[in-house]
């Protein structure tokens, strides 16, 4: 019998996000939670001034509700209670991943709240944001360790131990990996529909990978919920966007995608599945480094999606191209698992 739990979860998540827009967006307008477009951005983005932000709350609510419904379907309708929750390690890793994503989303919410309510354009200071994200990242990794995560998968090598010897290097590397990718997703959220589309591709990839594994039903449900929420958010976020996800949404999605990669015990695959996030972050690092050392810029503007904008590409073309690049990375990642 075909398991339709991922379909139910994704559909509920899609509908929940799309329908929430009818209530949340007017409410954000009423509260005057509009985005302030900074002068350092492209000048043509000024016409987006006042578009409601903090739409990430729609994503967070939809993912939580759809996951609960999906898991309840598995437990009650399918009678799969033992399968779903008997594996303490998997359950603990799933819970840790969900909590971490929502914690990152809450940090983003604080950042957005300070920007739009307190009228401080930069939100949380760099030190405050770094401390909070680092704290959540450290707690997440400690949770994984005590949950019993003792191996990680490497393509063409297989599972390797991360509890002794050189394997212990996994944990400090993982810290920068989690922190880096959460912020890379945040950087990707610079055009209408970009972060939503790229994350839709990434979450579908982990949905496929966890589905192949068979024993990762909870992670499969999580991935389905994130994919559905991204699809539902695109109803309102495609160009011209009616709402922005804000740091609330981008940090939540960053945490969720990272959690999916660790939940499958294949975080290394995020280097391929999240290739767009990686390129966005790398473009900023290269731009800043080049300017500091040579006073010359490599790109017309960073992150790299702005470079293509300033080269004459439309937002729709950039979103389509970047999503296609994400698809290619995802296909290569899936092939490394299959082969």
């Amino acid at each position: 019998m075909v398991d339709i739990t991922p379909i139910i979860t994704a559909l509920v998540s899609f509908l929940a996000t799309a329908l929430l827009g009818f209530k949340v967006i007017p409410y954000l307008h009423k509260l005057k939670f509009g985005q302030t477009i900074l002068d350092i951005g492209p000048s043509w983005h000024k016409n987006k001034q006042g578009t409601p932000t903090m739409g990430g709350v729609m994503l967070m609510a939809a993912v939580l509700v759809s996951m609960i419904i999906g898991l309840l379907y598995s437990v009650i309708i399918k009678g799969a209670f033992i399968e779903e929750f008997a594996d303490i390690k998997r359950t603990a890793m799933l819970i840790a991943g969900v909590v971490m994503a929502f914690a990152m989303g809450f940090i983003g919410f604080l950042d957005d709240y300070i920007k739009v309510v307190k009228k401080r354009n930069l939100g949380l200071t760099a030190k405050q944001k770094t401390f909070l994200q680092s704290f959540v990242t450290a707690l997440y990794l400690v949770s994984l360790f005590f949950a019993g995560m003792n191996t990680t998968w490497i393509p063409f090598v297989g599972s390797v131990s991360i509890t002794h010897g050189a394997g212990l290097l996994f944990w400090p590397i993982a810290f920068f990996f989690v922190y880096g990718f959460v912020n890379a997703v945040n950087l990707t959220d610079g055009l209408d529909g970009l972060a939503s589309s790229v994350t839709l591709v990434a979450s579908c990839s982990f949905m496929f990978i966890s589905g192949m594994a068979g024993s990762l039903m909870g992670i499969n449900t999580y991935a389905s919920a994130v994919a559905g929420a991204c699809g539902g958010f695109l109803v309102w976020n495609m160009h011209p966007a009616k709402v922005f996800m804000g740091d609330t949404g981008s940090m939540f999605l960053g945490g969720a995608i990272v959690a999916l990669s660790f939940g499958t015990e294949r975080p290394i695959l995020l280097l391929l599945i999240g290739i767009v996030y990686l390129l966005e972050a790398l473009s900023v690092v290269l731009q800043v480094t080049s300017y500091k050392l040579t006073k010359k810029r490599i790109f017309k503007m960073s992150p790299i999606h702005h470079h293509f904008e300033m080269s004459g590409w439309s937002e729709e073309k950039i979103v389509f191209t970047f999503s296609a690049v994400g698809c290619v990375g995802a296909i290569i990642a899936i092939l490394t698992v299959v082969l």
Side-chain angles (χ1 to χ4, degrees), residues 123-142:
L124 291 170
T125 66
K127 288 183 179 180
Q128 289 171 333
K129 193 180 295 185
T130 299
F131 172 77
L132 290 172
Q133 289 180 331
S134 298
F135 182 70
V136 171
T137 297
L139 284 182
Y140 174 60
L141 294 176
V142 168

Side-chain angles (χ1 to χ4, degrees), residues 283-297:
S283 70
V284 174
V285 173
L286 290 174
Q287 184 87 322
V288 172
T289 303
S290 175
Y291 188 76
K292 284 186 175 180
L293 294 178
T294 67
K295 299 302 178 183
K296 294 181 180 180
R297 294 179 172 88

Side-chain angles (χ1 to χ4, degrees), residues 51-323:
T51 301
T53 188
M54 299 175 75
V57 295
M58 296 156 58
L59 292 164
M60 296 171 71
V63 168
L64 183 61
V65 170
S66 61
M67 278 194 70
I68 292 172
I69 291 174
L71 291 173
L72 284 176
Y73 170 80
S74 291
V75 171
I76 298 173
I77 306 300
K78 287 170 52 186
F81 180 84
I82 295 178
E83 286 184 81
E84 292 288 354
F85 300 108
D87 191 330
I88 303 300
K89 172 187 170 183
R90 298 291 183 198
T91 301
M93 289 178 66
L94 173 64
I95 294 172
V98 173
V99 171
M100 183 270 288
F102 275 84
M104 291 295 185
F106 181 69
I107 294 171
F109 178 85
L110 288 177
D111 197 38
D112 287 334
Y113 184 84
I114 292 170
K115 289 176 186 175
V116 301
V117 178
K118 300 298 183 181
K119 306 302 180 184
R120 278 171 42 192
N121 280 352
L122 297 178
L124 291 170
T125 66
K127 288 183 179 180
Q128 289 171 333
K129 193 180 295 185
T130 299
F131 172 77
L132 290 172
Q133 289 180 331
S134 298
F135 182 70
V136 171
T137 297
L139 284 182
Y140 174 60
L141 294 176
V142 168
S143 298
L144 294 183
F145 179 82
F146 284 106
M149 182 177 177
N150 50 26
T151 62
T152 190
W153 182 87
I154 298 177
F156 311 113
V157 175
S159 295
V160 297
S161 173
I162 55 175
T163 58
H164 61 274
L168 289 172
L169 290 173
F170 169 84
W171 299 103
I173 294 172
F175 178 89
F176 291 104
F177 189 91
V178 174
Y179 177 86
F181 265 103
V182 169
N183 284 286
V185 176
N186 184 232
L187 288 172
T188 305
D189 181 36
L191 298 179
D192 296 353
L194 182 57
S196 306
S197 298
V198 172
T199 306
L200 174 60
V201 172
S203 52
C204 284
S205 304
F206 283 115
M207 183 169 63
F208 186 82
I209 291 169
S210 57
M212 287 193 303
S215 60
L216 300 174
M217 298 172 70
I219 291 297
N220 189 248
T221 302
Y222 193 5
S224 303
V226 174
C230 287
F233 194 73
L234 281 170
V235 171
W236 302 101
N237 189 233
M238 287 297 289
H239 185 72
K242 303 297 188 296
V243 67
F244 299 139
M245 66 175 66
D247 285 358
T248 306
S250 60
M251 288 188 189
F252 169 70
L253 290 181
I257 289 299
V258 167
L260 292 175
S261 71
F262 278 84
T264 59
E265 296 187 67
R266 291 168 168 82
I268 196 170
L269 291 182
L270 194 51
L271 296 175
L272 289 169
I273 293 173
I275 184 65
V276 173
Y277 307 136
L278 195 61
L279 292 174
E280 293 274 22
L282 186 60
S283 70
V284 174
V285 173
L286 290 174
Q287 184 87 322
V288 172
T289 303
S290 175
Y291 188 76
K292 284 186 175 180
L293 294 178
T294 67
K295 299 302 178 183
K296 294 181 180 180
R297 294 179 172 88
I298 299 173
F299 307 103
K300 294 179 180 179
M301 185 179 287
S302 66
I304 198 169
H305 57 257
H306 288 321
H307 170 83
F308 286 105
E309 263 196 300
M310 297 188 76
S311 298
W313 287 33
S314 67
E315 291 195 41
E316 294 94 331
K317 182 178 179 180
I318 296 170
V319 171
F320 177 81
T321 304
F322 279 38
S323 298

